Amino acid sequence: MALSKEERILEFVLKNAVRGDPDSVVDTIDRYCSSKEWAMNVGNEKGLILDKIVKETNPSVLVELGTYCGYSAVRIGRLLKPDARFFTLEVNPKFADVARQMLEFAGLKDKVQILEGATYDIIPQLKKKYEVDTLDFVFVDHWKDQYKPDTLLLENCNLLRKGSVILADNVIVPGAPDFLKYVRTCGKYDCTNYLSHLEYMNEDDALEKAVFRG
Ligand SMILES: O=C(NC/C=C/[C@H]1O[C@@H](n2ccc(=O)cc2)[C@H](O)[C@@H]1O)c1cc([N+](=O)[O-])cc(O)c1O
Ligand SMILES: [Mg+2]
């Protein structure tokens, strides 16, 4: 059976990156996806903005919606303090398997927990099953029509507290218009837009930071 694109990316990392070195894993994925095959990783330009916001937030409990190959899970995981708890949610078993190997190679296996399943099934389990109180940081990068419903679900599961940071990828391309309108007009968030470019392309894209007012 031929390898999938995600398996080709993983193979390139296993062959060309440095085991245990998250930065080399991130750089190697970016090298592959900018020169050989485009893939929907947040990429280095938006990734540097993500890094800055994670560092500023200094989170203890985090969730990522949409692991894919694990690029942003490695990016975020490499910045976390030792006792931080980071859950990344992935519904596609093949992607979860690639991400698991990617994180293990990066040396972040014990830092990042991949939870397999749909966000709407897992988010309501975070408090009881995963002993989460509230979330300090949420990176949203899954199906774009899921951004708004999952934000409402996070609110309704009482997972957000005053200052909880939601950072959403792709609010220009592919876009998440209902999410953007909601967080900017519902009165519950302080929003900031970070204009950048679509990963590995010259097209405009942006991240949106929505801080819950509590
Ligand atoms: O479509 C995009 N992302 C969708 C990501 C979806 C990921 O979220 C997972 N998931 C996990 C749990 C769920 O419940 C649902 C999905 C899916 O299994 C997939 O791994 C996208 C597209 C472009 N683009 O230029 O076209 C650029 C980007 O940066 C993007 O992020
Ligand atoms: Mg994205």
Side-chain angles (χ1 to χ4, degrees):
M1 246 304 249
L3 291 182
S4 66
K5 175 169 73 173
E6 293 74 27
E7 287 164 331
R8 291 195 290 271
I9 295 169
L10 174 64
E11 192 172 72
F12 188 78
V13 166
L14 300 179
K15 278 185 186 150
N16 297 282
V18 176
R19 180 177 288 280
D21 179 349
D23 288 292
S24 88
V25 169
V26 167
D27 293 343
T28 304
I29 296 173
D30 284 332
R31 236 171 64 225
Y32 185 85
C33 295
S34 47
S35 64
K36 296 186 174 57
E37 294 186 82
W38 186 91
M40 56 187 180
N41 315 119
V42 72
N44 194 51
E45 189 179 319
K46 290 184 287 178
L48 287 167
I49 300 167
L50 169 62
D51 289 353
K52 183 170 151 288
I53 296 169
V54 170
K55 287 175 189 169
E56 279 166 7
T57 312
N58 189 27
S60 299
V61 186
L62 313 75
V63 161
E64 173 181 63
L65 309 183
T67 316
Y68 189 45
C69 296
Y71 176 92
S72 44
V74 171
R75 240 197 132 105
I76 295 167
R78 85 195 206 286
L79 301 175
L80 300 180
K81 51 198 174 191
D83 58 345
R85 295 176 66 213
F86 178 22
F87 303 97
T88 181
L89 281 47
E90 180 48 64
V91 71
N92 181 314
K94 290 189 168 50
F95 295 167
D97 193 44
V98 164
R100 202 168 288 113
Q101 296 175 73
M102 195 75 80
L103 283 158
E104 193 163 343
F105 185 85
L108 294 170
K109 179 169 163 293
D110 300 328
K111 196 104 188 182
V112 188
Q113 237 180 297
I114 299 178
L115 304 182
E116 262 193 72
T119 50
Y120 51 72
D121 286 331
I122 299 178
I123 288 171
Q125 297 177 315
L126 288 174
K127 276 192 184 271
K128 287 207 174 63
K129 188 170 178 187
Y130 297 98
E131 298 179 341
V132 169
D133 177 15
T134 54
L135 299 169
D136 303 319
F137 187 88
V138 184
F139 183 53
V140 183
D141 193 17
H142 59 332
W143 301 137
K144 309 313 166 195
D145 60 356
Q146 290 281 109
Y147 280 28
K148 182 183 173 185
D150 284 347
T151 299
L152 292 169
L153 189 55
L154 289 167
E155 289 177 18
N156 297 331
C157 291
N158 298 314
L159 284 160
L160 303 179
R161 44 92 180 155
K162 182 173 172 44
S164 290
V165 173
I166 296 180
L167 184 67
D169 189 25
N170 310 119
V171 295
I172 296 178
V173 172
D178 57 337
F179 165 81
L180 215 44
K181 182 165 177 288
Y182 173 70
V183 291
R184 289 179 175 177
T185 63
C186 71
K188 299 178 191 173
Y189 298 90
D190 292 304
C191 296
T192 312
N193 187 266
Y194 297 84
L195 184 59
S196 181
H197 293 96
L198 185 63
E199 51 265 30
Y200 319 117
M201 309 287 281
N202 297 328
E203 220 172 321
D204 282 356
D205 190 16
L207 298 168
E208 186 83 358
K209 182 176 79 169
V211 182
F212 194 63
R213 289 177 174 162

